[in-house]
Amino acid sequence: MSKTVVVGISDLNVVGPPDVLVTYALGSCVGICLYDPAVKVAGLSHIMLPSSDLSGASAGPPMRYADTGIAMLVSRMEAQGASRLRMKAKIAGGAQMFAVISNSAISNIGQRNVTAVKAVLQRLRIPIIADDTGADFGRSVFFDADTGSMRVKSAAKGEWTL
Amino acid sequence: MALRKYEDLNDIHLDVLREIGNIGSGNAATSLSGMLEHPVYITVPKISILDYAQVTQDLGGPETMIVGLLLQLGGDVTGMMMFLLHQGFAHMTLNALLGEDIQSFQEIDEMGYSAIKEVANIMAASYVNAISSMTGLTIQITPPDMTIDMLGSILSVPAIYYANISDKIIFIEDEFGSEDTKAPSHILMIPEVDSLGKIMTNLGIDFSE
């Protein structure tokens, strides 16, 4: 029986087949799906902000940020037998839900999250093989540990698999 | 110790916010009633300090479809204000303003968007005017931007904005309605903490501990 494991905002989790990871309603947040096809270990991280550095002393939990969250996800997957060298990434989210926010610290936060996620993955040498980021709508993401496929569901535009 | 997080608000502060919410929502209902040209009742608003996960659950879960409108506050009070309107509210407004019988969100056209934005704009203005006249603070609002999408993705915007201050927000739940329609709506007031301090100070409330 396949189990669906929900990953909340600022959270991450790792499963193997036949389970499915899901994170609901990504807005400007980014969902990062990592997969090692050789051992079928799947991980999903739902980050809110680009970097823990920007937050200084008031930094929240490490799962909240692209830099610390992705690093933590990789080590959790390695603990379950995955190898970073074999990992592939699929990412989704990073939308700009409202245009009104201008000249503030979070203008275009979706785009900045995506940029940060890509930089972290590049530093870890994990290739991005599917990218469904940007635009102005929310996305739910379902990540299948058996196949490594990422299904994206949107309210207005239906759903598709990457 | 100065107040840094919404969680640090005490019972007196909460009562003050509740009263502000009451007066603000009352004003908003009056202007709504004027626009729709029929009486609009309003339930006593429930005010709570909640975390985002709780708000998301209370409103039906992350994938609930909802109308979200976001305005920025400027002047003496900075922060954001967000309206979350259920389908019933959109129907009530559009039916009254445009004479359209809207059955689903997909049917809302550009004219409908403009109408809802205008309603939110006027409600927000009357809401902040209430705070202004009580406190003597100047508050400006930007015109609202609107989207219809999943609740979770809409709420992520203020959640991200205030992630480093607090996981909690001031949540005001109103129910507007007329004789035949119930139209639940929610207003999130998200002032910066120092703006909250100004509001309290100008009302003569001790905000230093």
Side-chain angles (χ1 to χ4, degrees):
Chain A
M1 246 320 256
S2 152
K3 202 167 67 216
T4 301
V5 177
V6 178
V7 176
I9 189 164
S10 292
D11 199 4
L12 54 83
N13 218 326
V14 177
V15 301
D19 294 350
V20 175
L21 289 159
V22 55
T23 197
Y24 293 113
L26 291 159
S28 301
C29 300
V30 178
I32 302 112
C33 301
L34 298 184
Y35 191 57
D36 178 344
V39 291
K40 297 201 170 189
V41 171
L44 172 59
S45 156
H46 180 147
I47 61 105
M48 281 174 95
L49 289 164
S51 163
S52 53
D53 287 350
L54 300 173
S55 319
S58 63
M63 295 90 83
R64 182 176 286 170
Y65 308 96
D67 54 351
T68 46
I70 295 174
M72 200 167 161
L73 182 64
V74 168
S75 51
R76 282 272 301 276
M77 290 173 68
E78 284 174 335
Q80 300 202 19
S83 160
R84 181 165 61 86
L85 300 172
R86 290 190 301 253
M87 285 180 197
K88 306 269 187 286
K90 297 184 178 183
I91 62 175
Q96 180 165 16
M97 300 301 296
F98 294 97
V100 67
I101 308 171
S102 55
N103 62 47
S104 74
I106 67 149
S107 63
N108 228 348
I109 189 70
Q111 190 49 51
R112 283 167 48 207
N113 276 336
V114 171
T115 306
V117 164
K118 288 182 176 172
V120 172
L121 289 171
Q122 190 176 21
R123 207 160 58 230
L124 294 168
R125 304 227 169 81
I126 300 173
I128 297 170
I129 56 169
D131 177 353
D132 186 41
T133 54
D136 60 355
F137 56 89
R139 299 165 171 92
S140 287
V141 166
F142 301 80
F143 189 41
D144 186 334
D146 191 36
T147 60
S149 70
M150 174 176 81
R151 184 160 60 89
V152 178
K153 194 171 109 189
S154 77
K157 301 189 192 328
E159 56 179 86
W160 50 90
T161 300
L162 294 167
Chain B
M1 200 187 82
L3 191 141
R4 268 194 282 274
K5 294 193 171 200
Y6 292 149
E7 293 95 303
D8 299 338
L9 292 167
N10 65 28
D11 286 348
I12 296 171
H13 299 143
L14 288 183
D15 275 345
V16 170
L17 290 173
R18 205 165 279 132
E19 192 51 28
I20 290 175
N22 246 330
I23 297 170
S25 308
N27 272 21
T30 307
S31 24
L32 181 63
S33 171
M35 278 184 286
L36 304 185
E37 293 178 331
H38 67 74
V40 171
Y41 75 79
I42 176 173
T43 55
V44 175
K46 281 186 272 181
I47 307 221
S48 29
I49 310 284
L50 292 175
D51 59 39
Y52 287 95
Q54 189 63 47
V55 174
T56 308
Q57 279 321 313
D58 289 356
L59 296 190
E63 290 193 312
T64 304
M65 290 300 288
I66 204 154
V67 182
L69 295 120
L70 184 74
L71 305 94
Q72 279 187 289
L73 307 175
D76 292 332
V77 174
T78 51
M80 283 182 190
M81 189 169 183
M82 180 174 260
F83 287 79
L84 297 171
L85 313 174
H86 288 278
Q87 204 158 338
F89 189 95
H91 293 178
M92 179 178 86
T93 313
L94 294 177
N95 293 349
L97 285 179
L98 304 175
E100 289 178 10
D101 189 18
I102 302 278
Q103 297 300 330
S104 77
F105 282 142
Q106 279 81 31
E107 293 172 50
I108 301 177
D109 57 9
E110 203 148 311
M111 186 70 114
Y113 268 73
S114 302
I116 295 175
K117 276 192 210 174
E118 189 50 28
V119 167
N121 198 20
I122 293 171
M123 286 173 70
S126 42
Y127 197 106
V128 300
N129 280 346
I131 304 178
S132 280
S133 55
M134 280 186 285
T135 57
L137 296 167
T138 310
I139 311 172
Q140 287 124 23
I141 52 170
T142 59
D145 193 23
M146 169 177 162
T147 189
I148 302 176
D149 210 313
M150 294 185 271
L151 172 65
S153 54
I154 289 173
L155 270 180
S156 78
V157 174
I160 288 175
Y161 193 62
Y162 294 99
N164 290 324
I165 305 169
S166 179
D167 292 329
K168 297 185 190 296
I169 36 174
I170 301 169
F171 183 67
I172 303 166
E173 184 173 5
D174 285 325
E175 187 175 290
F176 296 101
S178 54
E179 307 96 61
D180 45 347
T181 349
K182 269 190 183 171
S185 74
H186 309 272
I187 303 174
L188 312 183
M189 268 303 276
I190 320 168
E192 309 268 5
V193 174
D194 61 343
S195 297
L196 204 49
K198 280 186 210 163
I199 292 174
M200 294 293 169
T201 308
N202 279 33
L203 290 171
I205 315 273
D206 184 16
F207 198 60
S208 58
E209 52 187 318

